[in-house]
Amino acid sequence: MPELDPLRLCSAALHHKWRADSLGRRFSLSMFLVFALCLVTLIFTQRLASSSNINLTIGRTIQSWSTNEVELSNITVEIEEALEDQRALVAQEMKGYTYPAGKYNISARSLKDLVPELGGQPLRSLVLTTWRSGSTFLGDVLNSHPANFYHYEPLLDYEIVQIRGPPTSVDAMGRLENLLRCNYSNLADNYLEYGQDHTWLFTHNVRLWDQCQLHPHLCWLPQFLSPFCSLFPFQSLKTVRLRLKLIEQFLSDPTLNVRVLLLVRDPRGTMQSRRHREWCPGQPDCWDPAKLCADLTADYTTALHLADKYPNTFRAMRYEDLSLDPYTGVQQLFQFFGLDFHPQVKAFLDTHTKTNAGGVSSTFRNSKAAPFHWRQDLTFKEVRSIQRVCRPAMAAWGYLPAHNASHQNDLDPITKHFSLE
């Protein structure tokens, strides 16, 4: 049955009424009444249609809200399940753990003392260096420790730049502090969004990534990440894009409870290693040895100050010293960080320091040979060019110059027993 058009009905009625009343004015009142009736009918019909559309819109919105509430409820339940699973895993990893109990200026005697969720204060370790200076290896050593939550290169989205001061440092330092405090609420628009397309930002954090495989839609949600991070008694963070002078604000904050290691490497070894990375050529902060060594010199001056002011929470170490004796070096570092030299850590060193395997980013290395490949891979002309702009930095950190090609091949390039004292 076709729809009735109120406007057409009114027009037809008016036409016929006009013809019927055309003989006299006595019917004018009737015509006015008919017209008024049609007008009221038309207005009422249009308002009814408009009201129906509004109700339909409201209905769809309510339905959407109801669906979101159901989804939110399901996500909340799944988050709690994932958190409960991880609590059990942390407890399992920490069975039989040797707590500091007063050693290393750390009073913790139980898991409760270290877990943020339980009101504890986690042990936080921060490794600061630059590209191709051994930090991936050291970060993985820390991550082999039980119940460690690893913030891997949280400034990765800043690309190939060194952050030396404002304005960039303000946002960068704020991000690092939020991560160390397990606060992901302000990180959705940059850090987390970037991580969705660059998953290696999270894959190095093996305990988090295991849960991401089971719950992929939770992996980038602050409402999951913040409480998940707060389950862990140990936090480690490493970055290659931040210079040392900025870190004092962390060391001066006792509520952060962070211990900072500056890891340095012979600039000749660093520059040789960077040649194998496609993202480095053409980037001044990575490709120019003068910039690298200016940073090394500035970091040395800052390191002297921090070592004197914060002797229990700041340390500097050369990558070469760690590589030549990784077991002793890691044991000393773990004492500094307040960590137990756990059997899991020793097992990692057993499998990652004796033979070469994998590509240029692999941490499976013959550790005694890895730092010194530059002596064979670089020509003396290249070495001389680096040394020309790096002499102050090399002298400060205890690296000896090569005098000619034959000397370069036989050179032991590091001074013994380096110390900031």
Side-chain angles (χ1 to χ4, degrees), residues 278-340:
E278 61 183 15
W279 41 260
C280 188
Q283 304 290 341
D285 276 344
C286 184
W287 197 243
D288 184 355
K291 285 185 174 291
L292 165 64
C293 288
D295 286 337
L296 282 171
T297 302
D299 285 347
Y300 181 77
T301 301
T302 304
L304 291 174
H305 163 69
L306 297 182
D308 179 63
K309 190 173 181 180
Y310 306 98
N312 295 321
T313 55
F314 172 76
R315 181 166 296 184
M317 172 177 269
R318 297 185 302 189
Y319 167 61
E320 291 81 5
D321 295 324
L322 178 64
S323 297
L324 288 172
D325 191 354
Y327 290 84
T328 300
V330 169
Q331 281 182 296
Q332 291 174 350
L333 274 181
F334 273 40
Q335 289 176 7
F336 163 68
F337 286 133
L339 305 175
D340 180 40

Side-chain angles (χ1 to χ4, degrees), residues 112-126:
K112 181 181 177 181
D113 296 331
L114 297 173
V115 174
E117 183 189 49
L118 302 176
Q121 177 73 289
L123 300 184
R124 298 181 174 102
S125 310
L126 194 158

Side-chain angles (χ1 to χ4, degrees), residues 82-83 86 149 207-208 211 224-232:
L83 295 178
Q86 192 60 50
F149 191 87
R207 293 166 182 88
L208 173 57
Q211 291 295 339
F224 166 67
L225 291 168
S226 293
F228 186 81
C229 172
S230 298
L231 300 176
F232 290 86

Side-chain angles (χ1 to χ4, degrees), residues 70-87:
V70 171
E71 290 178 354
L72 183 59
S73 175
N74 289 340
I75 287 175
T76 301
V77 170
E78 188 171 358
I79 287 174
E80 285 305 318
E81 291 175 350
L83 295 178
E84 190 57 37
D85 287 346
Q86 192 60 50
R87 286 188 193 99

